Amino acid sequence: MTALLIAMVLALMIPMSVALRPADIWERLTAFASASTKVAVIMLVVSVIRDDWMVGLVGVLVLSVGNASLLLLAHLLRGLRR
């Protein structure tokens, strides 16, 4: 399980490197969405390992509400460009 967590954290570095370089706002938004999803999945894995379902509940909330708010932000940004 520890190797899985290390692999997941290493996979998390990919969208963070994309978000840190100068790029279009959409590329950064996509990178942050990918990072948010990966962190929520890491939270779910940690909750299963620790047998702590409250952390898992927070991970599920981040997955469901966090991505929905990101879609609303993208829609708002698209409306500002027009």
Side-chain angles (χ1 to χ4, degrees):
M1 283 299 219
T2 306
L4 177 67
L5 274 177
I6 291 172
M8 292 174 83
V9 170
L10 288 177
L12 181 63
M13 295 300 149
I14 296 170
M16 295 311 290
S17 66
V18 171
L20 291 178
R21 66 179 186 190
D24 187 23
I25 187 71
W26 294 106
E27 290 180 16
R28 283 188 175 192
L29 199 60
T30 305
F32 283 125
S34 176
S36 168
T37 303
K38 285 180 176 65
V39 167
V41 171
I42 288 172
M43 288 173 70
L44 289 174
V45 169
V46 167
S47 73
V48 169
I49 290 172
R50 293 184 58 189
D51 198 25
D52 186 5
W53 293 107
M54 295 304 284
V55 176
L57 180 65
V58 171
V60 168
L61 286 176
V62 167
L63 274 176
S64 61
V65 177
N67 289 335
S69 64
L70 191 67
L71 287 175
L72 288 173
L73 179 64
H75 183 70
L76 179 69
L77 286 175
R78 191 177 77 186
L80 288 177
R81 284 192 165 187
R82 290 184 182 175

